[in-house]
């Protein structure tokens, strides 16, 4: 158990591939958060084994769904890092959000995400995954999360990033990410 001041930030990556560039944006955010305070802890949500949302199997919730919801509910904040697939939210991430949007028990108003502090960042091609960013903003608001009002970092991936799988962020993108980490730290640490 950490000290009372410790805060846990759960990262969700919209890409499941190991060398994900979006995951690298998150890892850069972890580094920046660590520079702000040793009390800010991050970890990635493991959700690749979630079943497809299907109301036939919603109650009782499958074990994987229960585990993912417990991870989310144990977090002080959720930060999503996602690419855009065909100008939208990647299916695996949308499926995860769909499970997280549903009642914990039949007839309940409670969900794992309602009221939870959330934020997102997106890395995509020249359009900086702007369609996914717009959809995430709507979806997180619709889910009644406490979406932090800030500029959500959008990173432009180029040929170098795509061919090497090594993320290079511009100065402006790094500054935007640093600003996001500061805003989150302020909300969490007061
Ligand atoms: C199914 C699919 C659809 C894609 N559609 C888009 C798109 O609409 N816009 C975009 O900027 N990039 C698109 N891309 C390219 C992604 O930006 C690129 O693969 C990126 O590296 C994925 O993020 P990751 O590195 O975190 O896995 C798409 C990739 C895939 C696999």
């Amino acid at each position: 158990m950490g000290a009372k001041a410790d805060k846990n930030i759960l990262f969700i990556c919209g890409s499941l591939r190991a060398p994900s560039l979006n995951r690298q944006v998150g890892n850069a955010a972890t580094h920046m958060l660590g520079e702000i305070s040793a009390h800010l802890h991050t970890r990635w949500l493991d959700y690749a084994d979630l079943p497809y949302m299907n109301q036939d199997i919603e109650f009782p919730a499958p074990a994987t769904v229960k585990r993912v919801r417990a991870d989310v509910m144990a977090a002080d904040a959720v930060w999503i890092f996602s690419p855009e697939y065909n100008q939208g939210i990647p299916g695996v991430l949308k499926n995860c959000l769909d499970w997280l949007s549903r009642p914990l028990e039949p007839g309940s108003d409670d969900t794992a995400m309602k009221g939870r502090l959330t934020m997102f960042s997106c890395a995509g091609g020249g359009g900086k995954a702007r369609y996914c960013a717009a959809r995430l903003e709507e979806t997180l608001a619709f889910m009644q999360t406490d979406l932090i009002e800030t500029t959500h970092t959008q990173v432009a991936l180029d040929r170098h990033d795509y061919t090497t799988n090594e993320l290079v962020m511009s100065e402006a993108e790094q500054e935007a990410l640093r600003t996001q980490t500061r805003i989150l730290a302020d909300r969490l640490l007061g």
Side-chain angles (χ1 to χ4, degrees):
M1 277 295 265
K4 201 173 175 204
D6 285 351
K7 299 292 176 187
N8 296 306
I9 306 158
L10 186 67
F11 284 0
I12 304 180
C13 190
S15 166
L16 299 183
R17 72 190 189 102
S20 162
L21 295 159
N22 280 274
R23 190 174 278 262
Q24 292 175 48
V25 178
N27 292 339
T30 293
H31 183 74
M32 291 173 183
L33 287 163
E35 286 176 342
I36 296 172
S37 169
H39 291 294
L40 298 170
H41 307 284
T42 68
R43 77 177 184 88
W44 289 101
L45 178 70
D46 179 6
Y47 71 95
D49 55 344
L50 270 180
Y52 291 129
M53 160 49 65
N54 176 348
Q55 288 184 270
D56 287 344
I57 61 164
E58 199 174 358
F59 303 113
T64 320
V65 173
K66 282 190 181 148
R67 192 203 74 225
V68 165
R69 285 179 176 159
D71 284 353
V72 167
M73 290 189 288
D76 297 294
V78 170
W79 190 345
I80 295 171
F81 297 86
S82 184
E84 117 184 335
Y85 282 178
N86 296 302
Q87 301 196 342
I89 299 173
V92 286
L93 175 60
K94 185 60 166 50
N95 184 57
C96 179
L97 293 175
D98 287 342
W99 276 113
L100 292 173
S101 74
R102 298 292 289 171
L104 298 173
E105 301 295 339
S108 165
D109 282 340
D110 289 336
T111 76
M113 288 287 269
K114 195 179 269 188
R116 197 158 307 281
L117 209 56
T118 57
M119 208 160 64
F120 65 83
S121 306
C122 296
K128 303 182 186 178
R130 66 182 186 278
Y131 297 102
C132 180
R135 294 293 90 72
L136 277 174
E137 186 142 27
E138 290 167 356
T139 301
L140 293 172
F142 186 76
M143 290 167 69
Q144 298 178 35
T145 74
D146 184 3
L147 178 61
I148 297 181
E149 284 188 31
T150 177
T151 303
H152 301 281
T153 309
Q154 289 179 243
V155 176
L157 302 175
D158 63 14
R159 187 185 295 272
H160 170 273
D161 301 312
Y162 283 142
T163 52
T164 62
N165 277 322
E166 280 174 25
L167 177 74
V168 177
M169 280 192 284
S170 69
E171 293 281 324
E173 290 163 351
Q174 288 180 52
E175 201 40 50
L177 191 64
R178 202 175 295 282
T179 301
Q180 256 191 296
T181 59
R182 284 201 199 102
I183 289 171
L184 180 59
D186 282 352
R187 281 293 296 267
L188 289 175
L189 300 174

